[in-house]
Every structure is written in C-alpha cells, then in structure tokens.
Amino acid sequence: MDKPMEIFKPRQQPKQTNSQNANFYYFRGISHLVVGRFQAAILELNEAIEIDPNHAAAYDNRGICLRELGKHQEALANFQKSAAIYQKQGKTDDYQKIIAKIHHLYSR
C-alpha cells in the first residue's frame, strides 16, 4: 500500500552549484534593473553576492543601481570590488571595462 503513495512525494531538485544559485538571483536582479526597480534589483544582487562573493558582474550591476539611486560612494565601492575580482580572475577585458566606467563616472 505504501508504493502508490510514493507518487505524491515531492521530487528532489538536482543539486545546483553555488554559481548556478548565484546566477539565479543575479538574473532576477538584472530583470529588476532593466525596468528601473533599483531597490528590488539590489536585494536580488545582494543574494547573488552572498552566495558567491566573487560574482563580479553582480557587484558591477549593484553599483549601477546604487549610482542610479544617488549613492555614489557605495556605487564606486561596488565598481572597485568588481574590477578587483575581474583582475584576480584574469579577465582583463572585463577589468578594463570597469576601470573605464569608474574613470568616466568619477573623474568629472
């Protein structure tokens, strides 16, 4: 009699890596960012960063949100963190893009 009831047990989800979990929140954050919901985007990006503290793109996009909210020092700190992670990972092109963004935004 127990066998038929097994069909009602919830299926276990396949285990995901931290990177996959972080990307889930990262893309949710991006979806909020593109429609201008910066506070909601920050909450999602915070989750991504908490799961994967080396998620450079999450820091970059959180910086964009903070900049849009007028929190320029916090935004700059996020851009710098993103650049440092990209540099550490050897992603030279991404690193240079962030450095260029910092210079463009903060050298006025």
Side-chain angles (χ1 to χ4, degrees):
M1 190 94 172
D2 288 340
K3 290 285 184 192
M5 294 306 289
E6 287 183 16
I7 63 170
F8 295 106
K9 289 183 182 178
R11 275 193 215 159
Q12 288 187 345
Q13 294 294 325
K15 295 211 184 246
Q16 294 183 326
T17 65
N18 276 352
S19 177
Q20 289 170 322
N21 287 330
N23 282 336
F24 172 78
Y25 290 103
Y26 170 74
F27 286 114
R28 284 175 54 130
I30 296 303
S31 69
H32 288 297
L33 185 153
V34 298
V35 295
R37 293 192 302 251
F38 303 116
Q39 292 286 13
I42 290 170
L43 293 175
E44 300 293 348
L45 295 167
N46 288 346
E47 288 293 325
I49 291 167
E50 185 174 321
I51 294 167
D52 181 1
N54 292 311
H55 201 301
Y59 284 101
D60 179 24
N61 285 285
R62 188 169 71 176
I64 292 168
C65 293
L66 291 164
R67 186 189 70 220
E68 291 297 321
L69 294 171
K71 298 179 179 184
H72 298 286
Q73 290 298 345
E74 290 177 62
L76 178 58
N78 276 265
F79 294 140
Q80 290 170 332
K81 179 70 174 179
S82 176
I85 293 168
Y86 280 136
Q87 186 176 38
K88 184 178 178 183
Q89 294 172 342
K91 296 181 177 178
T92 307
D93 289 344
D94 292 321
Y95 168 76
Q96 290 175 344
K97 287 177 188 174
I98 298 297
I99 295 300
K101 182 187 297 186
I102 291 169
H103 286 291
H104 175 73
L105 294 171
Y106 296 100
S107 63
R108 296 176 187 182

